[in-house]
Structures are given as C-alpha cells and as structure tokens.
Amino acid sequence: MSKAPATRPTRRGILTAGGALGLGAVLAACGDEKAKSGGSGSGAPAGKAGPWSFKDDRGQTAKADKVPSNIVAFVGVAAALHDYGVDVKGVFGPTKTKDGKADVQAGDLDVDKVTVLGNEWGQFNIEKYAALAPDLLVTTMFDGAGTLWYVPEESKKKILAVGAPSVGISVYDRQMPEPLQRMLELAKSLGADTASAKTAQAKKRFEEAAARLRAAAKAKPDIKVLAGSASQDVFYVSGTNLSIDLEYFKALGVNFVEPPASALKASGGWFENLSWENVDKYKADVIMMDNRTSAIQPADITEATWKKLPAVKAGQVIARNPEPILSYDKCAPLLEDLAKAIETAKKVS
C-alpha cells in the first residue's frame, strides 16, 4: 500500500511516525472530543461464573454472564494481556513477519498457538472469528471517535453481529501511564493476578525508568530528539501531541523536535511528510525510528541525505514502537533506551 493518506488511508500512511491513525483521524481534522476513561472492570478468573463487566474508554460497558475465556484481540493488546497471564484465542493485526516469525508487535506471544484472523490492515476473517465462539473482542483506539483499531470499518457491523461484547482502550492524546493502568484493570477483570510479584517488579522498573529519563533530560536539556518513520518516498516527522509515548516523554522533559501545527495539519496532527531531499529540515541529536514492519528500518535506508544526517553519522539512532505493548514489562525498556540515548548522546546538531 503506497498511496498518500490524503487520497486513501494506507497502511504506511496510517501506521507512521506519529503513532497510528484511525480512519477518522486520517479523514478529518482531529477535533473529536477525547475518549473518556471509564471505571475499572470486575470479574473472576477466566471462564468462572460471573457476572463480568468492564467499562471501556468509549464509556460503553461490556457485559457477560461469566468471565470471558474465548478472547480475540488486536495483537498488541493480546501481547499485553499475555504479560499479565491472560491468554487469547485469536488475534488480528501484524502478528507474523514474512518469514513466519513473531512480529515486533506480538511481544512474547507464541504466534503459532493463536488463530490469526488477519495479518495486515483491512484483513479480518469473520468466518474464523465466528468459529472461535468469541466472548470478548478487545482492541485499542487511536482517535476520539471510538474507532476500533484494525477492525475494518466496512465489515465492523458483521464482526460485532457475531455477538461478542467489545472493549476499546484509548491510546489517543494521553500519556502512557493512563492506558497502561487501563490495560492492567482489564487484565484484572479477566482473572489476572495483578498483585503478583512479577507485576509489582515490572511496575517498579517502569517507575524507575521514568525517573531515569527525567533525570537524563534535565541533565542534558540541549539534546534534541526527533521521532521519525521511513517509507520509500516519504520521511515522516512525528508531532508529540497525540502519541502516548511522545506525550509522556515530553512531560518528563525530553526536548523533542516539534513540527509546526500547520505542517501537521494534513495528517490530523500526527506527523509531517518530508521528501528524502528535505530530510535534513530539522536538526536533531538523537533520532527515534519506527521499528514496526510497516516502516523501512534504518539499516535498509539507502538515501544519501539520510546517511549524512549528523545523528546518523554519530550512531545516535534508536528504535521506537509507536504502538507500545501496554504492559509495564514492555514499556519500561522504551524509557530506559531513550534515557540511555540521551545520557550518552553527543551534541551534533
């Protein structure tokens, strides 16, 4: 998929530097009211007698007679639930790479033990979904309109008609700790032992990583960080006002390159499109590059303008996942990696 977002939402246009765009965010300016966080859920171990309920970030309450056990989820959500000990039966979204290995968004999931309903944007096998007899559908939301991420709009009604209640966790225009807490609440409602030593340790590591990043940013406030993503024809420079990771890192004091609002307007506020000839428009000391399979990875970028960037020549390029797996175990390293990059960075811009 290679058309520009202005003509039709594309995988690369949607899944680019600014985080990811729901269809509504691509097609309209991001004037939607923020999805409100609901309360926590209630429940017992999966499959046990209920009743079970969970109020999601659309303000909708999913209900069932017992705690769901046949769960289908967006792959990143499935990976987060797996970290808390909650397994799913089916997944959709980038799960396997072309060589059959686990996609970066699959985390520690055993991708050979789940039913993959669709591995790419627009793919969702409704027949396979129904055959799983799902009792819960879970995904994230990247806009304020409650658009369920990776649930195709054209088949959404048929998917929901299968009968499983749906839950949406918002990752739009808020800081990382909030959706992390919401995912923890969901996992708890599904029977996870969220008071376990493992979870406590992961949360402690996350909090320590946040403190380290804050200290690094304070010690080296002149180090400028750019969040980017590469496609064949376009280099995307992320704005920081909508993505859960960048908003949080900025709140911790990280000095980001910030494209003006006028440059971000075409993408609904997420990112600015640059030609490779203009990839040096912004000066940066550290570059965070989209590590998802939808983006070209730094080692595979051949453009001479990229190779000439001071941060690239200095080896000050790190990975970034614009769709973080929402468990403390997976988010802590993201903060640690950025903290280390700032701590060790030389001023090259």
Side-chain angles (χ1 to χ4, degrees), residues 34-41 54-61 141 167-170 174 178 181-183 185-186:
K34 281 190 197 178
K36 305 294 185 183
S37 286
S40 60
F54 186 86
K55 188 175 182 181
D56 76 357
D57 292 340
R58 298 170 295 180
Q60 298 181 13
T61 300
M141 301 182 298
V167 164
I169 300 296
S170 180
R174 59 203 59 207
E178 185 176 345
Q181 178 63 28
R182 295 291 286 139
M183 190 63 70
E185 292 169 358
L186 176 61

Side-chain angles (χ1 to χ4, degrees), residues 11 73-76 91-97 100-107 109-112 114-120 293:
R11 183 161 189 240
F74 174 70
V75 62
V91 298
F92 52 95
T95 305
K96 295 183 179 182
T97 58
K101 295 181 180 179
D103 189 277
V104 65
Q105 294 191 66
L109 279 179
D110 186 337
V111 296
D112 294 321
V114 292
T115 299
V116 181
L117 304 178
N119 202 61
E120 296 182 7
T293 51

Side-chain angles (χ1 to χ4, degrees), residues 9-170:
T10 70
R11 183 161 189 240
R12 193 158 276 148
I14 291 169
L15 300 178
T16 43
L21 299 183
L23 292 178
V26 179
L27 299 174
C30 289
D32 297 313
E33 183 181 347
K34 281 190 197 178
K36 305 294 185 183
S37 286
S40 60
S42 60
K48 294 292 180 69
W52 172 88
S53 68
F54 186 86
K55 188 175 182 181
D56 76 357
D57 292 340
R58 298 170 295 180
Q60 298 181 13
T61 300
K63 298 180 179 180
D65 293 334
K66 62 179 182 178
V67 179
S69 56
N70 290 344
I71 303 168
V72 172
F74 174 70
V75 62
V77 171
L81 291 175
H82 174 79
D83 285 349
Y84 292 122
V86 177
D87 290 323
V88 306
K89 295 295 179 66
V91 298
F92 52 95
T95 305
K96 295 183 179 182
T97 58
K98 291 180 180 180
D99 59 4
K101 295 181 180 179
D103 189 277
V104 65
Q105 294 191 66
D108 293 332
L109 279 179
D110 186 337
V111 296
D112 294 321
K113 291 186 177 180
V114 292
T115 299
V116 181
L117 304 178
N119 202 61
E120 296 182 7
W121 180 259
Q123 295 181 352
F124 194 112
N125 190 311
I126 301 175
E127 290 73 22
K128 283 186 178 181
Y129 176 62
L132 290 173
D135 50 15
L136 182 63
L137 175 69
V138 192
T139 186
T140 49
M141 301 182 298
F142 281 89
D143 62 23
T147 304
L148 297 176
W149 186 234
Y150 262 83
V151 175
E153 283 294 303
E154 62 272 17
S155 55
K156 177 182 174 181
K157 288 184 178 180
K158 290 182 179 179
I159 292 168
L160 296 180
V162 172
S166 63
V167 164
I169 300 296
S170 180

